[in-house]
């Protein structure tokens, strides 16, 4: 009995010393004009992830289809060659317009959260329900420094580690 008590106390003390997981504020926009969101976006920066590793000059083009689904075409340069990934998107719940879903493989949809968007739809911050994914995207290949600085500050205030961003060359 004494050993069990020591074991439990040891576990409790270790959990008290463990690093607390940092949670991010992934609150999405409350209003979104899906038609205005459509079109070509340039990736300015992103978190590293397998499906875009080593890519530069990345763009995402969204097209709203008649049935409400979204055609997604991602393109970028890798090893001097243009790579294209075709996917599909949807808005599963109109009451949460900033929470889209996107799939590039069969019907395995992933979160695509619109965290912020410019009033004129010139830039956007994209995340997910976890803090593993993050994109800064713009309608132009570059953002003005004051805008970029403000977006980085917002991301830091939300709890994102902006040091992990990979800056995409355009």
């Amino acid at each position: 009995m004494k050993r069990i008590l020591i074991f439990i106390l040891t576990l409790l003390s270790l959990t008290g010393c463990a690093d607390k997981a940092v949670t991010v504020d992934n609150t999405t926009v409350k209003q979104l004009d899906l038609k205005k969101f459509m079109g070509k976006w340039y990736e300015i920066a992103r978190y590293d992830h397998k499906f875009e590793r080593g890519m530069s000059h990345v763009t995402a083009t969204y097209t709203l289809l008649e049935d409400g689904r979204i055609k997604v075409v991602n393109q970028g340069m890798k090893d001097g060659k243009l790579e294209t990934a075709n996917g599909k998107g949807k808005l599963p719940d109109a009451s949460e317009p900033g929470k889209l879903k996107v799939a590039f493989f069969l019907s395995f949809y992933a979160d695509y959260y619109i965290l912020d968007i410019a009033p004129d739809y010139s830039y956007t911050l994209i995340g997910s329900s976890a803090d593993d994914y993050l994109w800064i995207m713009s309608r132009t290949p570059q953002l003005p420094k004051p805008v970029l600085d403000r977006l980085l500050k917002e991301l830091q205030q939300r709890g994102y580690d902006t040091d992990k961003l990979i800056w995409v060359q355009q």
Side-chain angles (χ1 to χ4, degrees), residues 67-88:
D67 64 2
R69 292 180 303 126
I70 302 165
K71 177 183 174 184
V72 181
V73 179
N74 286 356
Q75 292 186 312
M77 297 300 293
K78 185 171 184 174
D79 299 325
K81 296 178 185 169
L82 181 66
E83 301 272 335
T84 301
N86 294 303
K88 55 190 173 184

Side-chain angles (χ1 to χ4, degrees), residues 51-140:
F51 50 93
E52 278 188 281
R53 191 162 291 143
M55 294 186 89
S56 65
H57 300 82
V58 179
T59 62
T61 303
Y62 307 103
T63 305
L64 189 58
L65 304 175
E66 287 184 22
D67 64 2
R69 292 180 303 126
I70 302 165
K71 177 183 174 184
V72 181
V73 179
N74 286 356
Q75 292 186 312
M77 297 300 293
K78 185 171 184 174
D79 299 325
K81 296 178 185 169
L82 181 66
E83 301 272 335
T84 301
N86 294 303
K88 55 190 173 184
K90 63 183 178 179
L91 175 60
D93 183 352
S95 71
E96 295 185 294
K99 293 184 177 181
L100 303 177
K101 296 278 191 179
V102 176
F104 286 94
F105 181 72
L106 300 173
S107 292
F108 296 104
Y109 283 89
D111 295 330
Y112 188 89
Y113 283 13
I114 301 170
L115 306 174
D116 193 6
I117 194 159
D120 64 356
Y121 286 64
S122 61
Y123 63 78
T124 187
L125 298 175
I126 305 294
S128 69
S129 59
D131 64 350
D132 300 334
Y133 297 101
L134 182 64
W135 290 269
I136 299 173
M137 301 186 75
S138 172
R139 293 294 189 178
T140 58

